[in-house]
Amino acid sequence: MKLNTRVAVATLLLGVSPAALTAQIVEPTTPPPAPAFDAQGEPVFVNRADIYTYRALDSYAEPDFVAAFVAAGQLPPVAERLPAEPLVYSTANMPDGVGAYGDVMRHVIGGRPEGWNFWGGQTQGWGGIDIGLTECLTRTGPLFTVSPDDLEPMPNLARSWDWAEDGMSLTVHLIEGAKWSDGDPFDTEDIAFYWNDIVMNPDVTPLMNATQDTYGSGTTLEVIDAYTFRMNFTTAFPEQVLYAMAYGNFCPGPSHVLKPVHPTYGGESYDAFRNAFPPTYLNFPVMGAWVPVEYRADDIVVMRRNPYYWKVDDAGNQLPYLNEMHYRLSTWADRDVQAVAGTGDFSNLEQAENYVESLRRAADPAAPARLAFGPRTIGYSLYFNFSGNGWGEPDARGQAIRDLNRNADFRMGVTQALDRVRLGESLVKGPFTVQYPGGLYAGTSFYDEASTVFYPYSLDSARAHFEAAGLTDTDGNGFLNHPADVLGGADVQVTLLANTDYQTDKNLAEGVVAMLEEAGIRVSLNLLTGNDRDNAMNAGRFDWMVFRNASEMITVVQGTTQLAATGPRTLRHHNANDAGALDLLPFEQELADTVNAFITSRDADERVALMKDYQRIYTENVYGAGLTAYPGALIINKRFSNIPAGAPIFMYNWAEDNIMRERVFVAADAQADHELHPGTLPGAPGSAGPVSAN
Ligand code: BQZ
């Protein structure tokens, strides 16, 4: 479509005044070319079944110190601790083969644990803690290494699944005989509790906000037997539900310890439920490879291997190989510093400000850690709160901003006030950052440049759009005023929410403030730490926010329902109000319809076409104003083996999931003496910490 035609179409679609699009307007284009940047190391594409399968082996093994617990009668023999057919990792897919037991992976994280109740909405501090503790029905992190023609979520706690002929239901078969880390059986009691008393209970919001809509509006779940359940849908073959069964969403909790404190089963209150397992409650039962056995506030979380972990290598060795996991409670920036220095073992180098120093340190042949850049999958957008009907309970000032946010000219003015070259260079110079228009990322499978509308930087054009939105500087103080009938013609005053735990978020937010000031819009920063930022965002307490995008903008198939307001609480920047009313603008409804059509389509060509429509509508309407995008780098200490080639720090999930830590090991002759609780195992839930063999 010719550009002028595009502008005319945009005029009609956006309902903006034609005058605004002619006087001094710089017309939209397609995005400027991205500087070439090649990821170091490509994944080795395999089929999912090449990575692991489920089967019984002739015999099993365990670390010697664990055998001492069996000999002392403190644990059943390893074969009885494992499912009849455990998950078996194939040696052929392990870069360095069968591993050795021992050693520790020392993580450094910037979050802080609120407690272990992921299902009550508590964070464990991120940085791989929750990824390691919660195992989910399916798994998508390792999909970066799965060939496109076999691309579907991997089995995990759900061993297999069958679609009904008409696609209106999915029968899911759990692994049989797996146990929680305290020996309690894992079965559909845990599934039923998660579905009925967490997902379907409006008084409970699990971490990452899974709701019924996450699994498709109107979806229901019924238990068939101890290891089988069925999900029933309102549309045929919603295959994205398999992605929604992965980390972040369908990760069941230990119903045997959660139920007694849940109000439906006699618990005192929802607040008491959420806070029932503070970080000081040790040995919380998990399905993950390691169990929390020590917590020191603002210092460290230590985890010890789960003696009931339900995965083995194909030599029969029970996993994990690493006996201990550390999470040093520090800052995200310190994670980079410690990983390159060798006092930490892992980092997702995601703050571009740290690139140059990290690269310099890692370039030394004697450097303790490997650093490898992946694809450009770290990106930030400026999001507008689109609610006009009270989500987040705005005051009069905030309501006036939301009303402006719903005005296309205002959003086009904002996006053209942003100099994305300057924003990127404020983080790091060089070929890393790219001007990101918003929407789906360039270089990803559903991206289409011709469908991407890019509004170039132009202060004149921005001011013309603001004028078309009814904003002028009536008091001559250099800042634009509302019309006389809005707040008495006061200056437009916007608050910008950002995560103060990251220098990058702060730098970008400060850049937005400075650039909007140049365009005549006064913006003030609301910098909150991660947990508070997440709470403010989830409650709608923001006008605008700078947000590091999640996987749906990269993969589309992971987190698909979060691409648009497909439900009352699916889109981070437009939720329904307390009365459940979702006041979507026409283009928002179109986006939601497009995403829902994508979810129910099984035709590959149709899905590509739908995502082109999505990208065009999204970027034309500036649903989110893209800021910058750049590659992340994985930093891993050189003593670790079985790190998959080309593992991205972020794609379907973060690298803590992608590298499959349960099969990572340190060769016996390279092991360091980092274990803080050698020879111990987790104790009983709620007891004082790890225990030794009698
Ligand atoms: C990675 C990740 C693992 C959350 C979090 C944190 C929270 C957000 C986001 C990242 C951290 C690290 O990201 O930055 O590299 O280790 O933990 O979970 O930013 O505040 O709410 O979405 O994943």
Side-chain angles (χ1 to χ4, degrees):
M1 186 193 308
K2 281 207 180 59
L3 215 42
N4 286 335
T5 319
R6 191 199 305 272
V7 171
V9 167
T11 312
L12 293 173
L13 282 174
L14 294 168
V16 297
S17 56
L21 284 181
T22 51
Q24 299 162 331
I25 287 301
V26 171
E27 296 173 342
T29 68
T30 51
F37 186 90
D38 298 327
Q40 298 159 305
E42 288 296 320
V44 174
F45 284 123
V46 296
N47 287 330
R48 289 169 297 142
D50 296 328
I51 302 171
Y52 53 74
T53 57
Y54 298 75
R55 65 185 194 280
L57 301 180
D58 296 337
S59 64
Y60 300 102
E62 61 196 338
D64 294 341
F65 82 90
V66 179
F69 281 79
V70 177
Q74 289 167 273
L75 271 182
V78 59
E80 293 171 25
R81 302 199 309 268
L82 288 166
E85 296 186 331
L87 185 151
V88 182
Y89 273 103
S90 305
T91 303
N93 182 256
M94 292 187 184
D96 302 298
V98 169
Y101 286 125
D103 214 324
V104 185
M105 185 172 279
R106 299 165 299 164
H107 288 274
V108 175
I109 66 174
R112 292 295 182 269
E114 292 174 317
W116 307 112
N117 200 347
F118 175 100
W119 305 273
Q122 289 189 316
T123 173
Q124 289 69 53
W126 309 103
I129 288 189
D130 48 312
I131 290 174
L133 288 173
T134 56
E135 292 262 0
C136 313
L137 291 179
T138 60
R139 188 171 189 178
T140 54
L143 288 182
F144 75 92
T145 185
V146 170
S147 49
D149 56 17
D150 187 43
L151 193 61
E152 183 180 276
M154 301 170 73
N156 198 47
L157 286 171
R159 170 176 174 165
S160 63
W161 45 84
D162 308 305
W163 287 99
E165 281 285 304
D166 62 3
M168 298 301 284
S169 70
L170 184 72
T171 302
V172 180
H173 307 282
L174 298 177
I175 187 169
E176 299 194 17
K179 295 178 174 63
W180 292 93
S181 54
D182 62 350
D184 187 89
F186 168 75
D187 54 30
T188 45
E189 263 190 52
D190 301 307
I191 302 296
F193 176 75
Y194 177 72
W195 182 263
N196 298 323
D197 301 303
I198 304 294
V199 172
M200 295 302 290
N201 183 325
D203 294 316
V204 178
T205 305
L207 192 65
M208 289 173 264
N209 312 321
T211 66
Q212 181 183 29
D213 291 313
T214 309
Y215 306 96
S217 58
T219 295
T220 60
L221 184 145
E222 54 183 316
V223 167
I224 308 295
D225 63 35
Y227 297 110
T228 314
F229 67 91
R230 182 170 299 130
M231 296 176 93
N232 302 301
F233 308 110
T234 54
T235 57
F237 293 110
E239 291 177 340
Q240 70 86 23
V241 74
L242 294 171
Y243 288 90
M245 287 157 65
Y247 167 79
N249 292 313
F250 213 126
C251 316
S255 57
H256 62 293
V257 298
L258 294 172
K259 246 181 178 177
V261 290
H262 188 293
T264 303
Y265 303 93
E268 174 196 330
S269 70
Y270 285 106
D271 250 4
F273 170 65
R274 175 187 166 106
N275 300 311
F277 304 98
T280 50
Y281 180 100
L282 301 175
N283 304 305
F284 185 83
V286 300
M287 293 303 288
W290 299 276
V291 181
V293 296
E294 182 181 7
Y295 165 73
R296 295 201 295 266
D298 281 329
D299 181 0
I300 193 169
V301 172
V302 181
M303 300 191 174
R304 288 291 296 176
R305 62 181 302 111
N306 169 2
Y308 288 89
Y309 196 49
W310 41 285
K311 304 182 187 179
V312 300
D313 64 24
D314 58 19
N317 300 306
Q318 184 184 28
L319 298 176
Y321 294 124
L322 297 170
N323 285 331
E324 206 167 274
M325 199 58 80
H326 294 171
Y327 295 92
R328 183 74 62 192
L329 304 178
S330 176
T331 67
W332 297 115
D334 189 38
R335 176 170 76 167
D336 300 339
V337 171
Q338 293 214 41
V340 290
T343 50
D345 289 325
F346 174 101
S347 187
N348 296 321
L349 183 62
E350 63 198 353
Q351 299 196 72
E353 299 85 346
N354 301 343
Y355 280 14
V356 174
E357 179 56 19
S358 299
L359 278 166
R360 189 185 67 75
R361 298 286 299 269
D364 178 344
R370 281 190 298 270
L371 183 155
F373 275 98
R376 274 199 185 96
T377 57
I378 304 297
Y380 283 82
S381 295
L382 175 67
Y383 286 109
F384 309 96
N385 187 326
F386 271 83
S387 168
N389 66 358
W391 175 51
E393 292 156 7
D395 58 14
R397 181 208 59 76
Q399 185 59 48
I401 298 302
R402 288 145 184 259
D403 294 341
L404 280 174
N405 288 344
R406 293 165 68 86
N407 175 309
D409 262 311
F410 180 68
R411 299 194 305 273
M412 293 164 80
V414 173
T415 197
Q416 290 198 288
L418 297 171
D419 179 349
R420 292 171 174 85
V421 173
R422 249 194 303 156
L423 282 175
E425 289 183 350
S426 74
L427 306 183
V428 64
K429 292 194 172 25
F432 302 101
T433 60
V434 64
Q435 296 189 73
Y436 167 49
L440 308 181
Y441 286 0
T444 58
S445 44
F446 287 100
Y447 177 78
D448 176 56
E449 181 184 278
S451 306
T452 305
V453 177
F454 176 73
Y455 291 89
Y457 172 59
S458 163
L459 282 179
D460 288 346
S461 188
R463 290 191 189 103
H465 280 296
F466 289 142
E467 187 177 354
L471 305 179
T472 50
D473 180 10
T474 48
D475 56 12
N477 68 350
F479 289 99
L480 297 173
N481 297 75
H482 288 290
D485 60 346
V486 177
L487 300 175
D491 280 355
V492 174
Q493 173 67 56
V494 182
T495 62
L496 174 60
L497 175 63
N499 188 335
T500 192
D501 291 352
Y502 297 88
Q503 190 55 50
T504 306
D505 295 51
K506 284 192 284 195
N507 284 343
L508 291 172
E510 284 158 6
V512 168
V513 170
M515 292 175 188
L516 268 293
E517 183 170 322
E518 284 177 279
I521 298 283
R522 202 193 291 273
V523 180
S524 54
L525 279 181
N526 177 21
L527 293 174
L528 297 179
T529 184
N531 298 349
D532 294 340
R533 187 294 300 260
D534 292 353
N535 295 335
M537 172 178 69
N538 293 332
R541 294 196 302 274
F542 65 94
D543 297 345
W544 296 353
M545 75 174 154
V546 163
F547 184 79
R548 186 178 69 192
N549 284 309
S551 57
E552 65 273 7
M553 288 304 178
I554 303 164
T555 69
V556 172
V557 291
Q558 179 83 45
T560 312
T561 55
Q562 292 175 311
L563 284 167
T566 52
R569 288 166 37 202
T570 61
L571 187 71
R572 287 182 195 85
H573 55 112
H574 196 176
N575 275 203
N577 63 12
D578 289 346
L582 188 55
D583 54 344
L584 297 186
L585 295 169
F587 87 85
E588 291 189 270
Q589 187 57 59
E590 215 182 333
L591 283 172
D593 296 344
T594 303
V595 170
N596 283 327
F598 177 87
I599 286 171
T600 56
S601 167
R602 305 188 80 196
D603 177 308
D605 294 340
E606 183 184 34
R607 285 159 65 92
V608 168
L610 285 163
M611 278 301 119
K612 287 181 180 176
D613 293 344
Y614 175 86
Q615 183 75 341
R616 178 180 50 76
I617 301 164
Y618 184 109
T619 53
E620 210 158 56
N621 287 281
V622 196
Y623 208 14
L627 300 176
T628 186
Y630 52 83
L634 183 59
I635 308 177
I636 293 250
N637 191 281
K638 288 175 180 170
R639 74 179 190 285
F640 291 101
S641 299
N642 275 351
I643 304 298
I649 67 165
F650 188 57
M651 191 172 283
Y652 295 89
N653 200 356
W654 291 99
E656 292 90 333
D657 185 11
N658 306 346
I659 64 170
M660 296 173 272
R661 289 179 291 178
E662 61 268 27
R663 66 170 209 182
V664 169
F665 73 93
V666 179
D669 60 3
Q671 290 190 11
D673 184 19
H674 293 310
E675 288 188 58
L676 295 174
H677 300 285
T680 68
L681 286 176
S687 63
V691 295
S692 302
N694 295 338

